Amino acid sequence: MEDELRERERRFRQMAENIQEMVWMTDPTKGEVLYVNPAYEEIWGRSPDALYEDPQSFADAIHPEDRDRVEEILDPQSTGSYEEEYRIVRPNGETRWVYDRAVPVKNEAGEVYRTVGIASDITERREREREFDRVVELLDHTERVADVGGWEVDPKTGDAFWSDHLFELIGWEGDRAPSLEDVVDIYVEEDRPRVEAAVENALTHGESFAIEARLQRSNGEDRWMEIRGDPHVENGEVTTLREAVHDITERKQRERALHELYDVTSDPDLSFDEKVQALLRLGRRELGTEYGTLSSIHDDEYVFEFVDTDRETIQPGDVVPVSATNCELVASTRQTVVIGDVERDAPEETGRAGFTEWGISSYIGAPVFDTGDVYGTFCFYDTAARADRFTDWEETLVDLMSNWVTVELQRKRTTEQPRDQNEQLSQFASIVSHDLRNPLNVAKGRLELVREEYDGEHIDAVRRSHERMQDLIDDLLALARVGEQMGELERVNPAEVASDCWRTVATTEATLRTAISRSVRADESRFRQLFENLISNAIEHGGEDVTVTVGELDDGFYVEDTGVGIPEENRDSVFEPGYSTTRNGTGFGLHIVNQVVKAHGWDIRVTTGARDGARFEVTGVEFSSE
């Protein structure tokens, strides 16, 4: 028996002294270490002999933060088994993690008289676990920041795994794990077939997909999601389908706001005032503010031009000191001002009456310019401070709307000023022509009376002067009216218009030929002016027997005569007002032609005709499809 015991001890030592785990045995009643294998030194960094001499050194090596917990289970009065993970500090200061487990050994009387344990160095495992936990935490944080969730489905079993944030995204409630059917059923009924088709195609054919669909949260709220699926295929078979689900509701809301902004600003049936009011409503809805205003600044006065609010505290036309408002900052800096909470973000502005008397606690406003100067502000504000700040998107939206107002104000100024000038010109021309026509008619009448009593070359000279004055008056009126606003475009036949004009112009022996069949879209009154002046120009310079041809081009028409033509060096000058090569010409005819062409958005050029005469080509013309 002694030999057998020695053999068993030999085998035990062979095993214990050659394994990496620390094996130990203690007497819990005496607090003595009975045995520890060499692995103790590898793990604890201390020799077994030192442990035999001082059993307390085992506990002294335990990390201070873990010591109380471990000493409690190592208490000699504790006779139960345990499993514990804790840290030890080696003499060189290095910290190691160990996994320690022990069992009590009882004698024949049933008393615990030994404790046997094994301790393993698990430092590398703990580091991997810590790294894994860090990655999981990072992924979880990334999901929350990006508002992205993910799920994975096994095509064979239909089992699905969802990331934690996906549960939060969809508001999933319940303890049971979701299935593939659950994944599809969360989408609203109208969008569900599209999701089902994409998932089925991915599972069947292994094709990735990216779609947008709405899902309904458990509280009934609809949210827009971007769903991207990526199947994993092995040996031609889909083994796993993974999806990433991104909440794009805010992006969709921004897209909707941009579409609405475009629809409002491009609507030809809305006036400027109606568009501004619609933009203020849009801005209040997107920003969640009580007030939206477009105001002008006149010296020290701040005038509310447009107001959108559910309150009656401010009305269009109200005037307040500009110093009472945050808009003074916008005007002085000529930049957008954003204040989510006046007390928090701009305490230096709390002295303004807008804050102290009206309670304006949050503000966002952008400058509106007119001819380079600050016209006023396009702004939104609220009596409630914002817990968060205005976002970059919200600032961009206000900038877009204020920029549109700036452009519209400048466009109105650039269009209304020429219109006013044209109206003044037309009125002036009418008055002048009226005041000239009356004495001219008297002079022509008196001249006829003089002719009855006296006939001579001087009378013919006076008659020619009267005719020239009449031509100048007619051309002056025509030139003034060309600058007026274009009338409605309608279907006009160039051949018919040319023939009508031909009959009203003194053409004598001249000939008109028309080689155009298509109709164009034009203001008929202005179009007639164009042909009257081109025909008159051909008769004046080509002679009484000239032939005038109206022909068709791919994108317009031409008027060509058989006269002497226009020298190339003079072609850039013929459309200038007052330019004429004849003694009796007014120089306004071709200028009127050019004005009519420009008013229609067409182009005109002078070239040489088939028989060396003048050829006027008008291009960029819209042919009528009727």
Side-chain angles (χ1 to χ4, degrees):
M1 289 179 62
E2 289 178 355
D3 290 341
E4 185 176 346
L5 285 174
R6 282 194 295 271
E7 179 62 21
R8 288 181 179 180
E9 182 179 355
R10 187 184 67 79
R11 291 176 181 176
F12 168 77
R13 289 183 177 278
Q14 271 187 332
M15 176 194 71
E17 294 177 4
N18 288 283
I19 62 175
Q20 295 179 342
E21 285 78 9
M22 182 187 83
V23 179
W24 55 270
M25 180 185 297
T26 64
D27 182 338
T29 59
K30 296 180 181 180
E32 295 179 352
V33 177
L34 302 178
Y35 174 78
V36 64
N37 69 342
Y40 171 74
E41 187 170 358
E42 291 294 326
I43 299 175
W44 256 255
R46 295 168 172 83
S47 68
D49 291 339
L51 180 60
Y52 292 137
E53 293 175 5
D54 181 12
Q56 183 59 34
S57 65
F58 179 92
D60 291 342
I62 299 174
H63 195 282
E65 294 179 5
D66 300 339
R67 188 172 299 157
D68 291 342
R69 172 172 56 86
V70 177
E71 284 184 345
E72 184 178 345
I73 63 174
L74 294 179
D75 191 321
Q77 304 301 321
S78 176
T79 57
S81 60
Y82 69 84
E83 291 186 28
E84 197 69 32
E85 293 182 2
Y86 54 87
R87 289 164 293 178
I88 61 170
V89 180
R90 293 161 61 94
N92 62 1
E94 179 187 6
T95 299
R96 308 291 291 179
W97 275 95
V98 296
Y99 170 44
D100 190 7
R101 55 273 194 204
V103 295
V105 179
K106 298 179 181 181
N107 57 21
E108 295 178 354
E111 299 171 338
V112 175
Y113 79 110
R114 298 283 187 272
T115 301
V116 178
I118 298 178
S120 307
D121 188 336
I122 60 170
T123 304
E124 291 184 2
R125 192 199 80 189
R126 288 296 297 233
E127 288 179 351
R128 289 195 299 270
E129 289 176 351
R130 185 179 62 178
E131 186 68 22
F132 176 78
D133 291 341
R134 183 184 300 173
V135 171
V136 170
E137 181 182 359
L138 176 61
L139 289 175
D140 184 63
H141 180 71
T142 302
E143 277 192 342
R144 296 176 190 279
V145 171
D147 226 7
V148 175
W151 61 265
E152 179 181 280
V153 64
D154 186 331
K156 293 182 178 179
T157 63
D159 293 337
F161 168 79
W162 294 11
S163 67
D164 290 341
H165 190 57
L166 184 56
F167 281 91
E168 298 176 12
L169 277 179
I170 67 174
W172 178 266
E173 296 179 352
D175 298 331
R176 68 178 180 84
S179 65
L180 177 58
E181 289 72 19
D182 294 325
V183 172
V184 176
D185 288 344
I186 61 176
Y187 294 97
V188 299
E189 188 174 352
E190 296 90 337
D191 298 347
R192 196 175 302 153
R194 188 166 68 256
V195 178
E196 290 176 335
V199 172
E200 179 63 26
N201 191 49
L203 292 175
T204 305
H205 303 291
E207 294 184 3
S208 301
F209 63 87
I211 59 175
E212 295 179 357
R214 292 163 296 169
L215 63 76
Q216 190 171 69
R217 293 170 57 89
S218 56
N219 61 3
E221 177 191 10
D222 286 353
R223 304 288 292 181
W224 272 100
M225 298 290 166
E226 180 183 49
I227 312 116
R228 293 181 176 273
D230 184 25
H232 179 68
V233 181
E234 290 184 3
N235 300 322
E237 183 179 359
V238 177
T239 58
T240 307
L241 174 60
R242 296 186 178 93
E243 284 194 13
V245 182
H246 179 206
D247 191 328
I248 59 171
T249 306
E250 290 186 4
R251 191 189 82 190
K252 282 292 187 179
Q253 291 172 342
R254 293 195 293 268
E255 290 175 356
R256 182 192 64 185
L258 288 175
H259 280 298
E260 187 173 339
L261 187 151
Y262 173 77
D263 290 340
V264 168
T265 56
S266 62
D267 190 339
D269 297 327
L270 294 179
S271 65
F272 172 76
D273 292 3
E274 291 171 327
K275 291 179 179 180
V276 170
Q277 207 67 50
L279 292 183
L280 290 175
R281 286 195 300 271
L282 169 62
R284 280 190 60 211
R285 186 193 73 207
E286 293 299 314
L287 300 171
T289 60
E290 295 175 84
Y291 301 93
T293 64
L294 169 60
S295 304
S296 58
I297 297 175
H298 305 278
D299 297 326
D300 296 332
E301 292 185 337
Y302 185 82
V303 182
F304 292 92
E305 303 286 353
F306 297 86
V307 177
D308 191 82
T309 182
D310 298 329
R311 300 172 176 254
E312 297 181 355
T313 53
I314 302 176
Q315 299 294 328
D318 287 352
V319 180
V320 298
V322 69
S323 60
T325 69
N326 293 313
C327 295
E328 185 180 41
L329 290 174
V330 178
S332 61
T333 62
R334 300 169 67 92
Q335 294 180 347
T336 301
V337 172
V338 181
I339 307 175
D341 182 338
V342 174
E343 288 186 302
R344 179 192 66 204
D345 302 334
E348 67 278 5
E349 304 302 326
T350 54
R352 294 183 183 273
F355 178 80
T356 59
E357 298 179 15
W358 309 331
I360 303 303
S361 298
S362 61
Y363 173 92
I364 179 169
V368 173
F369 298 96
D370 187 14
T371 63
D373 297 324
V374 175
Y375 170 87
T377 60
F378 198 89
C379 58
F380 301 87
Y381 40 93
D382 206 303
T383 55
R386 293 173 68 108
D388 54 353
R389 289 170 170 77
F390 288 100
T391 65
D392 291 342
W393 153 247
E394 291 171 326
E395 183 177 350
T396 299
L397 180 63
V398 175
D399 285 340
L400 286 173
M401 293 190 287
S402 66
N403 288 341
W404 176 84
V405 175
T406 293
V407 171
E408 280 300 293
L409 287 175
Q410 294 176 350
R411 186 189 65 80
K412 288 179 65 178
R413 181 177 295 277
T414 56
T415 56
E416 289 176 357
Q417 185 174 1
R419 185 180 299 120
D420 293 340
Q421 293 174 345
N422 288 335
E423 290 175 355
Q424 293 174 3
L425 176 61
S426 179
Q427 185 178 14
F428 170 76
S430 297
I431 293 173
V432 170
S433 64
H434 178 269
D435 291 346
L436 288 177
R437 274 199 175 112
N438 283 340
L440 179 60
N441 290 334
V442 172
K444 290 169 69 175
R446 294 288 184 177
L447 184 62
E448 292 302 319
L449 293 176
V450 171
R451 183 186 291 278
E452 293 178 358
E453 298 179 3
Y454 176 79
D455 189 14
E457 61 179 12
H458 297 295
I459 294 178
D460 290 337
V462 173
R463 178 182 57 78
R464 287 193 297 272
S465 295
H466 287 170
E467 291 175 351
R468 176 164 174 75
M469 291 176 65
Q470 183 67 53
D471 290 342
L472 285 170
I473 292 171
D474 292 341
D475 284 350
L476 177 62
L477 276 175
L479 184 61
R481 287 173 182 146
V482 167
E484 294 176 358
Q485 187 174 1
M486 285 281 295
E488 183 179 354
L489 300 183
E490 55 186 318
R491 182 174 179 268
V492 180
N493 188 312
E496 294 177 0
V497 172
S499 297
D500 289 343
C501 293
W502 188 262
R503 287 190 287 270
T504 61
V505 177
T507 55
T508 61
E509 302 299 322
T511 302
L512 173 67
R513 293 177 180 174
T514 57
I516 183 171
S517 58
R518 289 195 289 177
S519 297
V520 301
R521 292 186 58 76
D523 178 340
E524 184 173 0
S525 175
R526 301 290 177 264
F527 199 56
R528 187 174 295 276
Q529 284 183 320
L530 181 147
F531 273 102
E532 286 176 350
N533 283 280
L534 286 178
I535 291 172
S536 296
N537 182 76
I539 299 298
E540 181 180 352
H541 295 87
E544 296 182 352
D545 60 346
V546 69
T547 296
V548 178
T549 303
V550 178
E552 185 174 320
L553 300 172
D554 291 339
D555 60 343
F557 59 89
Y558 65 86
V559 177
E560 178 180 311
D561 63 56
T562 57
V564 295
I566 300 175
E568 188 172 353
E569 63 271 16
N570 296 338
R571 291 174 184 174
D572 292 336
S573 305
V574 295
F575 296 115
E576 296 177 0
Y579 179 85
S580 179
T581 58
T582 63
R583 181 178 179 182
N584 296 324
T586 64
F588 291 132
L590 291 182
H591 180 64
I592 293 173
V593 169
N594 191 41
Q595 292 293 87
V596 172
V597 168
K598 286 183 177 180
H600 282 83
W602 302 337
D603 296 310
I604 187 170
R605 76 183 188 106
V606 184
T607 183
T608 303
R611 295 171 58 182
D612 297 330
R615 178 182 170 110
F616 295 86
E617 295 183 348
V618 179
T619 55
V621 177
E622 179 186 357
F623 287 103
S624 176
S625 58
E626 298 178 0

